[in-house]
Amino acid sequence: MSEKKQQVSRRQFLNYTLTGVGGFMAAGMLAPMLRMAVDPVLKTSSHGDLANVSLSVDDITDEPQRVDWKIDQVDGWYESEVTKTAWVYKDENDEILAFSPICKHLGCFVSWEGSEDFPDEFYCPCHGGRYYKDGTNVPGTPPLAPLDQFEQKVEDGMLFLGEAKEQGEA
Amino acid sequence: MLQKIYDWIDDRIDITPIWRDIADHEVPEHVNPAHHFSAFVYCFGGLTFFVVVIQILSGMFLTMYYVPDIENAWKSVYYLQTEVAHGQIVRGMHHWGASVTVVMLLLHTLRVFFQGVYKKPRELNWMVGVLIFFIILGLGFTGYLLPWDNKAFFATQVGLDIAQQVPFIGEQLKTLLAGDPEIIGAQTLTRFFAIHVFFLPGALFALLAAHFILIRKQGISGPL
Amino acid sequence: MHKGKGMKFVGDSRISAEKKPNIPKDYSEYPGRTEAFWPNFLLKEWLVGAVFLVGFLCLTLAHPAPLEGMADPGDAAYIPLPDWYFLFLYELLKYNFASGPYIIMGILVLPGLAFGALLLAPFLDKGPGRRPQQRPVAVGMMMLGLASVIWLTYESASAVDWEARAEENKPVAEADVEIDEEDPGFAIYENSCMQCHGDDLSGGAAAPSLIGTEHTADEIADIAQNGIGDMPPDQFSGSDEELEQLVDFIVSVNEEAE
C-alpha cells in the first residue's frame, strides 16, 4: 500500500470524498433556504389590472391635468391602499397621453408648468429637470430619459390606467 | 494563485499550526465506528452541533420574512408558509429542528453521563454543556411565541404565570420577560424576539466555543 | 518549536518568522488503530451527518410545521399546551404536592433540585470510578429523574387528542367567500346554523368553520340532524327538501372557497 505508486493517494481520495459529502450536506441544507430567499426575484409580477381613475374621456383637454386614483396594493402580508398620480391630456391627434409624474433623474415629483419660467413644460423642483409636453426630456437638464407613460384603455367613456412603462416600451 | 493568497495570509497571522493541529490530531480507536459499531454513541454531540447549525441558518433566512409585531407576525408567518416557495420547508426545518436539537442534546448528555465523563479533569466542560442545555431550552421557550398563534400565545401565558409564582421576585421577573405587568402583547413579542434572536444565540456561541476548545484541549475521554 | 532568545518575528509582531510547513502528518505517525481527524475520521462523521440530514429533510417534507389561528387573547375556550419538551413540567404542576400552596415545590424546588444536581454532577459524584456500576447513587438518581420525566411527558401527552386539536385550531384561510344570501339554503342556514357557525360560515367560539370542511354532502346532512362531537342533535328541523337545499348551499360555498 505504498502511496507513491498510486495515482490518487488514499489521503487525496478521502479528501475528495470528504469535500463531496460536505458539499452534499451544505447543498441539502441551503437549497430550500436560498430558494426561499430569492423567491421575490423569481415571482412574476401579478400586476396588470387597469384601474378606473374616475375621469371621463370627455373631460380630458389638451392641457395636462393631474389625476389621482387609488389602487389596492398587496405587499407580501401587508395590504394597503396607495394613491397614484398621472398627468393626462389629449394630443393633436386626439390621443390620450398619461405621463407618470416621477422625474427620471432622481425620482422627484414633476408638475406641469411647475415653474413660471418654463411655460408649456413639465418641471421638476429638485434639480430643475424639464420635459416637453410630449414627455421628452429637455436636453441639457438633469433627466436623461423621457417621462414614463401609463398603460391605458378607454371603456364606457372612462379612462383606465395601469402600470407606468418606460417610453418606447409602452 | 490560491497558494499565494494562503501564503500571504499565513505570513501575517500564522494560521498553519492552528488548523493543522485540528486536522492532524489523533482520533482514538474506541470512538471510531469503523472499529466498534457501538461507537456511534459518540456521534450524538456532533449531530447536535449539526442541527444547531441548521437552526442558525434557517433562523437567519426566516427573519427575511418575519416581523415581530402582534399585528403582522402571524400574517407574515402565514404568508411565508403559504405564498413563498420553499417557505414551508424552511419553517419546517426550524420547527422540527428545535425538537431534534432537544432529542440529540438529551442523547448526548445521557451518553456523557453514563460513561462518567464529567469526572476530573472534565468537570468544567460538563457544566458548560449543562448551561448549553439550559440555553437551548430557553431558545425553545422564546421561539414558541414568535408565530403568534393561539398555541404560542397561551403557552407563553402559562409560562409567564409560572414565572410570576416565584417568591419575592416573581412579579418583577414576569414584567421583565413580558415587558408589561399585565399584558402579554406587543412588548412581550419584541422582547421574546430579541431574546430568541440575539441574546440567547450570543450566549450559545460563547458556550459552544468554550465547549469545543475544552474538548480539543482535554481530548476525548478514554474507553470505559 | 523554537522559543525564547534568537526567535525571529514578522516585523514588530508576535508572529514567528519561521514557517511551519503545511504538510499533513504521515499516516505512519498514527499509533495503533488511531487515525487522523481530517480527512479519515471526519469523513465517517459527515457520512453519518448526511444520512441524518436526509432523514431530517424527509421529516420536514412529510410534516409541515403546524400553524394555528392567529392569537386571540379573548379565546377563553382554548386549552394551552407547551411544546413537548416542557410537557413534563406542565404535568408536574397538576399534582397536589406541586400546586396550590405547594406551588413553590413544583416550580422551584423540584426542577431546581433536578437541574441543579445535573449541573453540579461532577461535585456530587466525586468517586474515581467511571463505570455505571461503580457509582450506583448517581446512576440511580439519573434513572429516576429520566423515568419520571418520561412518565410525566407520557401522562401529559396521552391525555391530549392531538389530531382533533390540530383540526380544531387550523388557521382559517382568509378567502373572500361571497355568500349568496338569495340562495334558498341560506334562509335555512340562517335559522338553523348561523347562531353558532357565524353569518359567514367561518365558525365562532362554540363551533368550527364550515368553510374547508372535509365532510361529504351526506355527512353534512347527517350532522345537521344528529350532531357531532359537542354539537347537539336536532339542530336542523325541516323537510328533506329543505335539508337538501341547506347541504347544497354549504357545499356550494365550499366549492367557491377553493
Side-chain angles (χ1 to χ4, degrees):
Chain A
M1 281 282 276
S2 162
E3 285 186 12
K4 281 170 196 155
K5 284 179 194 158
Q6 290 168 331
Q7 279 185 315
V8 178
S9 75
R10 176 181 168 76
R11 190 188 295 272
Q12 269 174 321
F13 172 76
L14 289 173
N15 264 323
Y16 296 150
T17 327
L18 183 66
T19 322
V21 176
F24 170 78
M25 288 202 291
M29 225 170 12
L30 287 170
M33 300 178 195
L34 290 174
R35 177 64 185 81
M36 181 184 90
V38 300
D39 191 54
V41 183
L42 301 177
K43 248 185 197 160
T44 45
S45 165
S46 58
H47 307 294
D49 282 357
L50 302 182
N52 187 344
V53 299
S54 315
L55 179 70
S56 162
V57 176
D58 301 335
D59 293 340
I60 302 174
T61 60
D62 60 351
E63 181 76 3
Q65 57 173 308
R66 182 177 163 158
V67 181
D68 293 308
W69 75 101
K70 288 200 167 115
I71 59 159
D72 290 322
Q73 182 176 280
V74 180
D75 176 11
W77 55 88
Y78 183 73
E79 288 174 27
S80 57
E81 233 182 23
V82 285
T83 307
K84 297 184 92 174
T85 304
W87 290 100
V88 180
Y89 69 94
K90 275 183 190 155
D91 67 4
E92 313 78 82
N93 308 326
D94 225 28
E95 267 180 49
I96 298 166
L97 293 174
F99 287 107
S100 157
I102 307 301
C103 182
K104 296 297 280 182
H105 177 221
L106 292 170
C108 289
F109 198 90
V110 172
S111 301
W112 174 249
E113 297 188 330
S115 164
E116 288 178 9
D117 300 338
F118 305 108
D120 279 343
E121 281 180 12
F122 292 102
Y123 179 78
C124 175
C126 289
H127 302 92
R130 283 148 53 204
Y131 303 84
Y132 297 119
K133 194 176 175 185
D134 65 356
T136 322
N137 48 316
V138 176
T141 65
L144 293 170
L147 287 171
D148 291 349
Q149 221 172 344
F150 281 102
E151 289 176 324
Q152 47 148 304
K153 71 173 176 189
V154 174
E155 221 174 84
D156 300 334
M158 300 299 280
L159 178 66
F160 285 69
L161 294 181
E163 294 280 293
K165 292 262 167 81
E166 285 191 21
Q167 284 265 44
E169 227 184 286
Chain B
M1 181 61 194
L2 278 176
Q3 188 60 42
K4 273 200 172 148
I5 296 174
Y6 179 84
D7 287 342
W8 190 89
I9 296 171
D10 193 41
D11 201 32
R12 278 154 184 80
I13 49 180
D14 203 19
I15 51 175
T16 302
I18 301 168
W19 78 265
R20 276 259 70 94
D21 170 71
I22 293 166
D24 291 341
H25 77 260
E26 289 168 22
V27 179
E29 177 192 345
H30 70 278
V31 305
N32 195 329
H35 299 307
H36 306 278
F37 180 71
S38 61
F40 73 87
V41 295
Y42 289 93
C43 284
F44 295 149
L47 289 178
T48 310
F49 179 61
F50 183 41
V51 202
V52 168
V53 170
I54 292 180
Q55 290 304 88
I56 293 165
L57 288 172
S58 54
M60 275 163 54
F61 279 93
L62 284 177
T63 53
M64 281 186 172
Y65 289 95
Y66 176 78
V67 266
D69 164 66
I70 54 170
E71 287 280 324
N72 291 303
W74 186 87
K75 287 183 196 161
S76 68
V77 176
Y78 189 77
Y79 173 80
L80 161 88
Q81 187 131 336
T82 53
E83 304 286 327
V84 180
H86 290 206
Q88 194 169 49
I89 301 178
V90 179
R91 178 156 179 263
M93 286 169 84
H94 205 69
H95 174 88
W96 294 112
S99 293
V100 174
T101 311
V102 175
V103 172
M104 297 316 294
L105 194 50
L106 189 68
L107 291 175
H108 176 60
T109 310
L110 292 178
R111 192 277 287 174
V112 169
F113 181 87
F114 285 113
Q115 291 192 339
V117 177
Y118 52 75
K119 307 223 158 190
K120 195 183 170 187
R122 297 192 175 81
E123 301 98 322
L124 270 179
N125 215 6
W126 166 265
M127 286 178 14
V128 170
V130 175
L131 290 180
I132 291 176
F133 204 152
F134 295 162
I135 300 263
I136 295 284
L137 289 181
L139 282 165
F141 178 66
T142 50
Y144 207 56
L145 176 69
L146 300 188
W148 202 249
D149 59 357
N150 273 322
K151 182 174 65 174
F153 179 83
F154 289 102
T156 304
Q157 194 174 42
V158 172
L160 289 174
D161 278 350
I162 291 175
Q164 197 178 9
Q165 307 284 337
V166 174
F168 308 121
I169 55 160
E171 292 289 335
Q172 285 86 342
L173 188 65
K174 186 195 166 187
T175 310
L176 180 70
L177 281 170
D180 186 283
E182 302 296 330
I183 310 163
I184 297 169
Q187 301 189 78
T188 320
L189 185 55
T190 46
R191 259 166 201 260
F192 272 52
F193 178 73
I195 294 171
H196 184 79
V197 171
F198 294 102
F199 291 85
L200 290 181
L204 183 68
F205 288 151
L207 288 170
L208 278 179
H211 205 61
F212 293 146
I213 290 169
L214 283 172
I215 295 170
R216 184 69 206 98
K217 230 177 154 84
Q218 298 176 327
I220 272 183
S221 59
L224 274 177
Chain C
M1 210 207 283
H2 195 120
K3 274 189 181 160
K5 249 189 175 180
M7 205 174 158
K8 291 203 175 82
F9 294 105
V10 178
D12 60 351
S13 75
R14 304 282 304 144
I15 300 289
S16 167
E18 285 166 40
K19 291 285 120 192
K20 190 182 175 227
N22 183 15
I23 302 166
K25 259 201 313 195
D26 194 81
Y27 281 151
S28 63
E29 288 181 58
Y30 291 93
R33 296 167 90 179
T34 62
E35 65 179 15
F37 177 71
W38 178 294
N40 301 46
F41 186 71
L42 197 59
L43 176 59
K44 286 168 191 136
E45 282 207 321
W46 281 13
L47 282 173
V48 176
V51 173
F52 176 84
L53 178 66
V54 170
F56 177 69
L57 288 178
C58 288
L59 168 77
T60 310
L61 291 174
H63 298 276
L67 180 68
E68 298 189 346
M70 187 166 162
D72 173 13
D75 187 349
Y78 193 90
I79 303 160
L81 207 62
D83 222 347
W84 65 268
Y85 40 86
F86 289 120
L87 276 180
F88 72 98
L89 276 177
Y90 185 71
E91 182 74 10
L92 178 68
L93 300 183
K94 286 186 187 165
Y95 288 86
N96 281 336
F97 62 84
S99 57
Y102 307 111
I103 186 82
I104 306 301
M105 192 76 177
I107 60 167
L108 277 187
V109 179
L110 286 178
L113 276 178
F115 284 111
L118 192 70
L119 183 66
L120 299 175
F123 307 102
L124 301 173
D125 172 27
K126 288 164 78 91
R130 274 182 50 205
R131 288 167 183 278
Q133 56 268 37
Q134 287 167 311
R135 44 196 184 97
V137 178
V139 170
M141 297 296 274
M142 184 56 142
M143 296 292 246
L144 186 69
L146 202 59
S148 32
V149 166
I150 291 173
W151 189 74
L152 284 171
T153 308
Y154 173 77
E155 274 292 291
S156 179
S158 63
V160 179
D161 184 349
W162 295 96
E163 276 174 22
R165 200 183 156 82
E167 186 64 31
E168 220 167 273
N169 296 308
K170 256 203 294 197
V172 184
E174 289 173 68
D176 293 322
V177 185
E178 290 220 8
I179 308 245
D180 179 11
E181 300 191 358
E182 302 297 309
D183 192 304
F186 181 78
I188 304 162
Y189 174 82
E190 204 172 7
N191 286 332
S192 304
C193 326
M194 192 191 273
Q195 210 176 349
C196 293
H197 288 288
D199 47 10
D200 55 356
L201 280 74
S202 65
S209 170
L210 295 180
I211 300 169
T213 181
E214 279 164 14
H215 294 295
T216 62
D218 289 343
E219 283 169 345
I220 294 173
D222 179 62
I223 292 167
Q225 288 174 309
N226 302 322
I228 185 173
D230 290 338
M231 178 171 162
D234 296 328
Q235 288 303 303
F236 169 81
S237 50
S239 66
D240 285 352
E241 194 191 338
E242 282 174 331
L243 180 64
E244 200 172 307
Q245 284 174 338
L246 173 67
V247 171
D248 284 349
F249 167 69
I250 294 174
V251 170
S252 73
V253 170
N254 267 296
E255 276 167 359
E256 201 189 330
E258 271 166 16

